Amino acid sequence: MIQQHPLSRRATLKALGAIVALPWLESFAQAAEVKPPVRLGFCYVPNGVDWRRWHLEESGPLQKLSPTLSPLDDVKQDLLVFRNLALNEGRDHGDGGGDHPRATSSFLTAAHAYKSFGKDIRVGGISLDQLAAQRRGHLTRLPSLELACDRPTSPGMCDAGYSGVYRNAISWRTPTSPVPTELNPRLVFQRMFGTNERGKSRATSSVLDLVMEETKTLNGSLAGADRRKLDEYLYSVREVEQQIQKAEAFPVKELPPGTVPPEGIPPEVPDHIKVMLDLVALAFQTDTTRVASVMFAVGGSDRAFPFLGISSSHHHYSHHERKPENLDALHAIDKFYVSQFGYLIRKLKSIPEGAGSVLDSCLLLYGSPLRDGNLHDRGDLPILLAGSGGGAIAPGRAIQYAAETPLANLYLNMLDVFGIQEQRFSDSTGRLADLRK
Amino acid sequence: MRTLFLLLIAAVPAATAADELPDYSSQIRPLMQKYCVNCHNEKKPQGELSLAKFTDEAAAMQARKVWLNVLHRVTGREMPPDDAPQPTERELDLLTKWTAGVVRKIDDATPPQPGRVTMRRLNRVEYRNTVRDLLGIEFELGFDPTRDFPADGAGYGFDNIGDVLSISPLHMEKYLAAAAQLIERSIVVDGIDGPRVWTIPANEVRVSSPTKPADSTGQWPTNWIAEIDVRQAGEYRINATISSKVASGKQAQMALQTEGSQPERFTFSRQTKANVVERKVKIVSAGRRQFWLAYQHEQNKPTFESGDAENGEIVVESLEVSGPYIAVDSLPASHQRLIIARPGPDKTRTQAAEEVLAAFLPRAFRRPVSATERQKYVKLFAAADRPEESFEAALALPLKAALVSPHFLYRVEAEQQGKDGSYSLNDFELASRLSYFLWSTMPDDELLRLAGEGKLTDPAVLEVQVMRLLADPESRALSENFVSQWLQIRGLDNFQPAAKQGKIGTRLRIGMASEPIYVFHEVLTKDQPLTQLIDADYTYANGDLAKHYKLPPLPEHEDKQKQIEKDKILRYSIPVDTHRGGLMTSAAVLTVTSHPDRTSPVKRGKWVLDALLGAPPPPPPPEVEALSEPTDPKLKQSLRERLEAHRTAAACASCHKRMDPLGFAFENYDVLGRWREKDGSLNIDASAKLPDGKELDGVTGLKGYLLTEKRAFSKALTEKLLTYALGRGLEPFDTRAVENIVTQTQADGDKLSRIVVGIVLSRPFRERSSVNP
């Protein structure tokens, strides 16, 4: 193995420092005692939960966890459990049925989806992760990662009048542009650590220059929605061009020992989720990005769980009708997903950084935009937060807020910790108190 | 007896003339006050429908959707609910007449317009087919650059809807990568003028050894590696010049190798001088590749220690790699098709490039390309051109650029200044619409030629072209892509039945997914009436599906059943009592409308309403269950509360009254669509009663019923096909075009192909509204 000399690497980066911020380096931190950057992670689960076995009655320091949260017992000191956070904009507001697409697109936007089967797709605002990526993405090789462990589904003709795009994405770059998710771990790894050969990236840039020029000419002969489509295209071209430049500015770091590039999509769901979470951890550890979201499944997911010994699908059980057998199956699924979150927490905790672990610098949001799939309600959502964002919040507690406190209030706090000061985020009414204790 | 579906689906009884419209204020509004607004009021509109706000006809004229809904519900006898006061026959007649009439009046008052299709990005299927035809390459196992494209968004049930097909940086990355792979596959960029030779003298050969790095002391490396930028896949040769001095009785084993190839071994057992060993290797894709000479360990034990004077030594004098070895007379067809000119004595490299691009770009952009546009691509070639490299190497760049150009990735329809708010598409835009509709790919040479001659806008020519394209095997693309989405059977891929229901093996899954497509394709291309889709006397199955259905063996194969290839999809005549024939009894449909562990009459009924009758029930009200949360029985509910609960139940009932009976007719089919007489120990009851009192007995009854509702079915199918053909959702102003096509098709013997012709000749297909009509 080729030996790397940390100091000489640092010197190289310093030379670039005038134009490019320093990527985070473990050795550098130890030398200079610089605080690791804050990272934001988001784990989305569809269909709500078996609320009775999820929720905690008592506020204050976490003692005994609920049955659903019990897989997190060993990391409860890193956990905040919320009560009464709500997504009011996920409610129908007179739009009628279609809870799953509406809920999914409201999760990180806290905004309302415009009911459309295809024309004028839009939500009321951009998502939290994309806002963070747009403001701080220039500091890392990739602005953000959008991952999923489930194939996007086509809802057929009747998803209550919503196009499938609403249930297949939680990240919205603009109110009209959902961000597609990447499912293939091999390709995520390639995105994170792929190297550009100099000649090749120059050739690619010349191709991009040409098509950008074409786009300008073409724009003149288009009108209406066609122009918006072309804007989307132009944005994508520019973004790829920037990535090429960034790939040169942020050279690939030496990967942690033992890193094995993943293969394609594992056939078994638990393996797929695990490898995606490994990639999130690796991305944070190497400071490849500071913002990552993972959809454990798409909205309204019909995933089957033969490996849990239950026969029907998540969505089916989520409409439990209070039947004990349905609730038991749903509980098993809830617990399974919570365990995956536990895996991510433990993984990040196992990676030393500064005086502690990578987890310390993180704020990891876990939850569902529905409380109970049988009711499709939006109040008192199942929401967890792990990590302390570099000591900015004090985990290890359950906090109960007033009923119908907007989830967006928490999003404002998260943005604060991430270093972005916003007056409002969607329907926020202020910041959550007591996060620091 | 009222005929439920004729009214329900065709929506507007043909005979109602606007002048016979009952008076809204004096006749209709009082009726609604009497029977409807108790629940459907402004304060707490049940089903989110308020009928109180329409104070006069002018207000009513603004709400087409509302009246269509009211018409469906009232004529279907779903509303008012059973335990509410019922209108008399005369009142009902008046309501029906008015709602039907007002919808028609609204349609008549809507200015006709062709509508605007938003510029469509090629979806994954279209992209695949287009590059296949443009470049002349085949996708095969292990080669599919589109495999990792993000999933295409769907709208209105289809994945070719312009509004929903977005593009993101992730798409762009993948398009760039795919373009590189595709061009690399299509043209040969190196070795045409002879193989390239890389000679690596011993001191530049990279050596690697886990234990003993090479140095000047004569220590031995384990591997001698040559790293080379391979520009072109193909055959390469690697040879090494080796001198050896091996002690008597000892052996040294070496191997020449490249990534992914088996080592070819050479054994040295004595003294040789400047011995050249050579082997041929195949490189499958361009990139930085390693070729190496390996010191072989036998069973992990070296036959002698390198540099061990006692045993001997080996000296590698040089490594040489050459290639690619290209047989110029057998260049791939794609190369020959694309590279129509090469530089020569009377042609500069730029001139040759210009010739190639002048032929390529119009096909890539599916329209003539101006010299100005072309020049940008020629410039790109010139900038990349290096005299020491091949002509093709530089040409690859503009070819790749074309594959990520907006003119290639989008089906651009240029804005025109229209007369009366709309304009006709030009010949080339029409050629693309036609080709992507029927073949899901770019227009072929004949379409482009006709477009170039300006003939395609002629309806007669257009009709001949529709029939030509339908007769071509490529039209299977329409059957595949349309049917799988229309019938919503793409979900079959992910359907996992519960263990007790049995398994769907790969071949059965393929058979299931193929059956409806094959049936549709036969009806379409053999000019059969569309009623065959409801009840055909034939079907298609592969070995596993035939077994699944318990189909009797085919006569021609009876003697040699075993020899039937199980994979092959064959046509079966359907004897009576096999319970098959038509799309709705296909295992694919019956499976995707089931839960993993039981059948779902609700889903199946909804499917019939949606796919076959074009009248999908509205979605369940939001947070529906919240209202039906069981209240504590110890608490006494107020009358009001009980009424609330009742109304909620009624709101559910009104739709389920329509869905459930249709679904129960399928109860003889299990989760995987197999025929059954019993469900567990219980006998199956597949009888059903429609809301209007009509009784159906099982699927045979349902089929008979649907056949009497042929027009409704024809209309539903036309609407779906038109949506797919246009790539946009239908609007009220499209009603006229749909009705015309349905009527015309009926006059032409209800042939499915006539619907396709009707769509292509229709105004929404051939014209476009200006942005501000």
Side-chain angles (χ1 to χ4, degrees):
Chain A
M1 180 156 295
I2 301 156
Q3 293 295 309
Q4 292 275 359
H5 299 283
L7 281 177
S8 66
R9 170 188 284 268
R10 210 176 110 200
T12 322
L13 290 166
K14 260 190 172 167
L16 284 165
I19 44 161
V20 179
L22 285 176
W24 176 253
L25 280 175
E26 164 63 11
S27 56
F28 187 47
Q30 281 167 348
E33 287 179 32
V34 172
K35 243 179 132 180
V38 174
R39 286 92 176 204
L40 300 180
F42 305 92
C43 296
Y44 163 88
V45 282
N47 297 342
V49 295
D50 170 13
W51 179 246
R52 284 163 198 225
R53 278 181 271 192
W54 165 286
H55 83 289
L56 289 172
E57 282 299 339
E58 308 214 332
S59 306
L62 288 174
Q63 309 289 338
K64 188 172 162 29
L65 294 181
S66 65
T68 309
L69 299 181
S70 63
L72 302 178
D73 195 62
D74 60 319
V75 290
K76 68 183 172 200
Q77 289 319 315
D78 300 301
L79 206 61
L80 274 179
V81 183
F82 293 103
R83 288 293 306 269
N84 286 336
L85 296 184
L87 273 171
N88 186 41
E89 292 300 320
R91 297 199 167 98
D92 69 289
H93 295 324
D95 286 345
D99 285 306
H100 290 289
R102 199 162 46 219
T104 312
S105 55
S106 76
F107 184 55
L108 291 184
T109 61
H112 194 66
Y114 170 71
K115 186 163 197 170
S116 163
F117 214 166
K119 204 176 172 179
D120 298 329
I121 296 290
R122 64 170 191 273
V123 290
I126 75 169
S127 58
L128 175 60
D129 64 319
Q130 294 302 299
L131 178 68
Q134 282 162 22
R135 299 286 177 80
R136 307 295 295 274
H138 60 282
L139 299 177
T140 49
R141 190 175 158 100
L142 295 176
S144 58
L145 283 175
E146 295 81 18
L147 312 180
C149 313
D150 194 10
R151 271 178 206 293
T153 52
S154 161
M157 270 163 264
C158 208
D159 193 26
Y162 286 92
S163 158
V165 300
Y166 287 112
R167 60 153 69 187
N168 290 330
I170 50 173
S171 298
W172 289 72
R173 176 177 69 75
T174 72
T176 56
S177 306
V179 183
T181 51
E182 179 66 86
L183 287 130
N184 188 330
R186 182 176 56 82
L187 299 177
V188 177
F189 190 85
Q190 246 172 46
R191 267 193 112 191
M192 284 164 57
F193 303 114
T195 46
N196 282 309
E197 291 163 45
R198 229 165 223 292
K200 259 194 181 162
S201 54
R202 207 175 306 128
T204 307
S205 293
S206 66
V207 166
L208 297 177
D209 288 345
L210 183 153
V211 297
M212 263 195 266
E213 207 182 315
E214 275 186 329
T215 309
K216 276 175 206 143
T217 322
L218 178 58
N219 198 35
S221 64
L222 299 178
D226 291 358
R227 268 202 186 165
R228 286 201 293 278
K229 289 282 156 195
L230 203 63
D231 287 346
E232 227 178 59
Y233 172 88
L234 194 60
Y235 168 83
S236 304
V237 172
R238 287 202 178 115
E239 195 63 19
V240 170
E241 185 139 60
Q242 275 192 12
Q243 276 171 28
I244 292 173
Q245 291 163 6
K246 273 169 97 181
E248 284 168 12
F250 296 87
V252 171
K253 295 175 194 63
E254 196 178 343
L255 295 178
T259 304
V260 184
E263 300 290 316
I265 301 171
E268 297 297 329
V269 170
D271 300 335
H272 192 185
I273 297 179
K274 185 170 166 287
V275 66
M276 293 313 241
L277 296 176
D278 284 340
L279 286 169
V280 170
L282 186 61
F284 287 170
Q285 182 182 6
T286 54
D287 204 30
T288 303
T289 188
R290 295 172 190 173
V291 181
S293 67
V294 186
M295 294 180 82
F296 284 4
V298 297
S301 163
D302 249 329
R303 173 176 282 162
F305 290 82
F307 54 90
L308 296 179
I310 49 181
S311 56
S312 201
S313 74
H314 191 184
H315 182 241
H316 176 71
Y317 289 127
S318 75
H319 285 271
H320 48 74
E321 296 166 340
R322 307 223 159 193
K323 290 180 186 155
E325 66 272 24
N326 287 347
L327 283 164
D328 286 348
L330 183 60
H331 174 62
I333 295 168
D334 296 343
K335 229 171 141 172
F336 165 76
Y337 281 138
V338 164
S339 306
Q340 308 311 305
F341 185 53
Y343 173 81
L344 177 63
I345 297 173
R346 273 172 227 117
K347 174 103 193 177
L348 290 167
K349 210 174 171 172
S350 74
I351 306 169
E353 184 180 66
S357 72
V358 176
L359 178 67
D360 298 335
S361 68
C362 292
L363 286 181
L364 308 174
L365 183 84
Y366 174 94
S368 179
L370 293 172
R371 181 174 81 108
D372 180 324
N374 206 38
L375 307 170
H376 282 173
D377 55 358
R378 308 296 200 289
D380 204 358
L381 295 171
I383 298 288
L384 307 173
L385 195 68
S388 71
I393 66 159
R397 295 175 297 148
I399 313 183
Q400 180 152 355
Y401 292 99
E404 288 295 307
T405 301
L407 177 60
N409 289 7
L410 172 61
Y411 290 177
L412 273 185
N413 292 81
M414 292 175 75
L415 286 171
D416 286 347
V417 175
F418 195 63
I420 300 173
Q421 298 290 322
E422 287 288 287
Q423 288 301 312
R424 267 183 80 113
F425 186 84
S426 195
D427 66 346
S428 68
T429 54
R431 287 163 167 80
L432 294 185
D434 303 333
L435 288 186
R436 276 176 183 279
K437 213 176 268 184
Chain B
M1 191 72 254
R2 291 157 297 273
T3 47
L4 163 65
F5 283 114
L6 186 64
L7 288 174
L8 197 152
I9 307 310
V12 184
T16 318
D19 54 346
E20 292 170 30
L21 202 61
D23 181 64
Y24 179 75
S25 301
S26 66
Q27 292 178 280
I28 302 301
R29 192 141 191 262
L31 281 183
M32 290 199 297
Q33 296 289 355
K34 190 167 165 192
Y35 297 111
C36 312
V37 299
N38 255 353
C39 298
H40 299 290
N41 53 39
E42 284 290 88
K43 223 171 157 194
K44 206 175 177 204
Q46 288 297 314
E48 289 140 31
L49 174 68
S50 159
L51 294 173
K53 61 182 168 193
F54 303 109
T55 47
D56 54 23
E57 190 176 286
M61 286 283 285
Q62 305 302 314
R64 182 183 188 275
K65 241 171 126 178
V66 168
W67 304 120
L68 207 55
N69 185 11
V70 170
L71 180 68
H72 289 171
R73 300 312 188 95
V74 171
T75 53
R77 285 298 205 151
E78 297 156 22
M79 283 288 157
D82 288 343
D83 48 359
Q86 297 293 313
T88 66
E89 287 294 313
R90 204 194 66 83
E91 287 172 330
L92 201 64
D93 194 49
L94 213 56
L95 258 178
T96 309
K97 214 175 200 172
W98 181 82
T99 42
V102 81
V103 169
R104 176 164 293 263
K105 197 170 168 185
I106 294 166
D107 287 346
D108 286 346
T110 310
Q113 52 166 307
R116 264 184 83 79
V117 178
T118 300
M119 185 167 80
R120 271 157 297 173
R121 171 172 67 71
L122 301 184
N123 69 16
R124 183 171 170 271
V125 172
E126 291 166 344
Y127 180 99
R128 251 177 84 102
N129 293 346
T130 303
V131 294
R132 177 198 66 197
D133 296 341
L134 175 65
L135 304 172
I137 52 166
E138 286 302 328
F139 286 77
E140 52 193 54
L141 209 66
F143 179 76
D144 182 0
T146 70
R147 199 188 57 184
D148 296 312
F149 283 8
D152 295 312
Y156 309 100
F158 296 100
D159 64 1
N160 64 349
I161 304 297
D163 282 311
V164 183
L165 288 166
S166 59
I167 206 167
S168 66
L170 189 63
H171 281 95
M172 207 59 215
E173 280 175 31
K174 310 235 162 174
Y175 285 141
L176 281 164
Q181 285 179 56
L182 287 162
I183 297 301
E184 185 192 312
R185 179 106 173 167
S186 307
I187 62 170
V188 172
V189 295
D190 200 23
I192 296 179
D193 303 316
R196 203 183 275 272
V197 180
W198 294 267
T199 305
I200 299 99
N203 59 352
E204 285 178 25
V205 173
R206 214 187 94 198
V207 290
S208 88
S209 161
T211 49
K212 295 178 182 168
D215 55 28
S216 53
T217 63
Q219 286 270 26
W220 285 79
T222 303
N223 292 313
W224 292 261
I225 301 169
E227 262 190 356
I228 285 159
D229 273 325
V230 169
R231 293 163 175 77
Q232 174 64 46
E235 186 198 303
Y236 284 76
R237 288 173 200 165
I238 169 171
N239 62 55
T241 308
I242 298 171
S243 297
S244 69
K245 198 161 66 184
V246 180
S248 123
K250 300 279 180 182
Q251 280 194 341
Q253 205 172 54
M254 313 291 293
L256 285 170
Q257 212 171 338
T258 181
E259 290 156 83
S261 78
Q262 287 301 310
E264 190 167 315
R265 293 195 169 81
F266 305 91
T267 305
F268 302 92
S269 49
R270 49 190 183 78
Q271 202 157 320
T272 52
K273 245 202 154 67
N275 186 25
V276 178
V277 290
E278 181 179 84
R279 74 163 300 199
K280 293 173 183 171
V281 289
K282 195 143 175 76
I283 300 289
V284 293
S285 66
R288 195 154 181 85
R289 298 282 171 262
Q290 292 189 341
F291 298 78
W292 69 88
L293 175 68
Y295 172 69
Q296 289 282 308
H297 297 248
E298 221 163 356
Q299 293 159 351
N300 299 325
K301 268 167 99 187
T303 44
F304 67 88
E305 275 297 314
S306 47
D308 182 340
E310 193 186 316
N311 294 311
E313 64 177 16
I314 286 177
V315 176
V316 177
E317 284 161 15
S318 72
L319 274 184
E320 188 181 280
V321 177
S322 60
Y325 289 85
I326 304 285
V328 177
D329 52 351
S330 64
L331 285 166
S334 52
H335 182 99
Q336 298 181 33
R337 171 159 201 181
L338 295 171
I339 310 297
I340 54 162
R342 295 200 85 221
D346 51 355
K347 208 178 279 176
T348 65
R349 287 163 79 101
T350 306
Q351 281 168 340
E354 185 149 11
E355 260 184 68
V356 171
L357 290 167
F360 178 74
L361 292 175
R363 293 182 62 247
F365 298 167
R366 307 172 282 270
R367 60 168 173 81
V369 171
S370 73
T372 325
E373 282 184 281
R374 190 171 64 230
Q375 271 316 307
K376 292 175 189 162
Y377 285 82
V378 176
K379 267 193 205 154
L380 197 58
F381 163 83
D385 194 23
R386 301 277 172 279
E388 70 276 14
E389 300 288 339
S390 76
F391 165 68
E392 286 83 359
L395 197 53
L397 197 61
L399 294 179
K400 280 182 224 168
L403 295 188
V404 295
S405 161
H407 297 286
F408 171 78
L409 292 173
Y410 289 99
R411 289 159 58 190
V412 177
E413 292 171 354
E415 193 65 21
Q416 293 176 37
Q417 221 29 47
K419 266 197 310 223
D420 307 326
S422 69
Y423 52 89
S424 297
L425 296 179
N426 72 36
D427 279 83
F428 287 96
E429 291 161 352
L430 206 50
S432 276
R433 279 205 181 185
L434 185 61
S435 183
Y436 282 97
F437 174 29
L438 300 184
W439 285 3
S440 303
T441 188
M442 61 181 280
D444 69 351
D445 291 344
E446 183 166 347
L447 281 180
L448 289 175
R449 180 180 58 79
L450 288 168
E453 292 166 2
K455 289 182 178 158
L456 213 53
T457 31
D458 175 352
V461 175
L462 203 50
E463 185 169 342
V464 171
Q465 289 304 308
V466 173
M467 296 318 283
R468 177 177 75 84
L469 265 58
L470 281 182
D472 191 284
E474 288 288 325
S475 64
R476 188 165 286 278
L478 168 61
S479 300
E480 277 177 14
N481 298 321
F482 173 70
V483 171
S484 62
Q485 297 183 84
W486 169 41
L487 302 183
Q488 305 167 30
I489 54 177
R490 285 193 176 173
L492 193 61
D493 288 345
N494 299 320
F495 188 88
Q496 294 300 338
K500 63 173 179 182
Q501 302 293 337
K503 275 199 176 127
I504 314 179
T506 306
R507 197 186 292 120
L508 178 58
R509 220 177 268 268
I510 292 171
M512 284 164 78
S514 305
E515 180 193 9
I517 292 164
Y518 275 69
V519 171
F520 182 90
H521 198 64
E522 172 163 339
V523 176
L524 177 67
T525 55
K526 296 276 190 312
D527 269 347
Q528 294 168 4
L530 47 92
T531 45
Q532 291 279 332
L533 298 173
I534 291 172
D535 192 10
D537 56 2
Y538 63 87
T539 197
Y540 285 84
N542 64 8
D544 285 25
L545 185 62
K547 212 171 125 196
H548 191 68
Y549 284 168
K550 298 200 171 77
L551 289 176
L554 291 173
E556 60 266 44
H557 292 120
E558 219 155 31
D559 299 334
K560 30 180 184 171
Q561 261 301 301
K562 281 179 196 155
Q563 288 162 31
I564 298 182
E565 296 165 61
K566 284 185 179 160
D567 286 328
K568 213 164 176 183
I569 291 165
L570 298 170
R571 190 181 192 276
Y572 286 78
S573 291
I574 300 282
V576 209
D577 297 335
T578 41
H579 319 296
R580 301 295 159 185
L583 303 177
M584 64 180 154
T585 48
S586 64
V589 168
L590 294 163
T591 301
V592 296
T593 53
S594 292
H595 294 297
D597 54 347
R598 62 170 174 86
T599 61
S600 169
V602 178
K603 281 192 184 184
R604 287 175 174 178
K606 182 172 153 228
W607 182 89
V608 171
L609 286 172
D610 186 354
L612 302 185
L613 293 170
E623 306 193 10
V624 59
E625 303 283 346
L627 298 167
S628 59
E629 279 263 304
T631 2
D632 191 334
K634 279 175 274 177
L635 290 173
K636 206 170 178 193
Q637 284 178 292
S638 71
L639 176 68
R640 194 186 154 73
E641 281 168 330
R642 270 185 282 145
L643 270 177
E644 283 286 350
H646 159 75
R647 280 195 204 132
T648 310
C652 296
S654 74
C655 292
H656 283 274
K657 225 155 83 174
R658 284 164 72 199
M659 292 186 280
D660 302 359
L662 295 168
F664 278 122
F666 290 99
E667 269 302 272
N668 278 119
Y669 298 88
D670 71 7
V671 169
L672 300 186
R674 286 168 300 205
W675 180 260
R676 61 181 180 179
E677 306 280 348
K678 280 174 184 286
D679 184 7
S681 58
L682 300 171
N683 283 325
I684 295 287
D685 177 10
S687 66
K689 196 169 167 190
L690 298 180
D692 66 351
K694 194 172 171 62
E695 293 193 16
L696 301 177
D697 189 16
V699 153
T700 316
L702 180 58
K703 283 180 179 174
Y705 183 71
L706 289 173
L707 289 175
T708 65
E709 301 304 334
K710 199 175 64 186
R711 192 179 164 94
F713 173 59
S714 177
K715 184 166 178 243
L717 179 53
T718 302
E719 285 173 351
K720 307 282 186 196
L721 258 174
L722 185 60
T723 303
Y724 175 85
L726 297 176
R728 66 164 168 85
L730 299 191
E731 306 277 353
F733 54 71
D734 292 313
T735 312
R736 215 164 313 189
V738 171
E739 293 286 351
N740 287 344
I741 295 167
V742 173
T743 304
Q744 194 55 49
T745 302
Q746 207 166 9
D748 290 340
D750 274 323
K751 287 175 187 157
L752 177 55
S753 57
R754 297 311 298 175
I755 296 186
V756 173
V757 172
I759 285 173
V760 172
L761 296 181
S762 74
R763 197 163 169 228
F765 193 85
R766 294 162 60 203
E767 298 179 20
R768 196 169 187 233
S769 298
S770 307
V771 68
N772 294 311

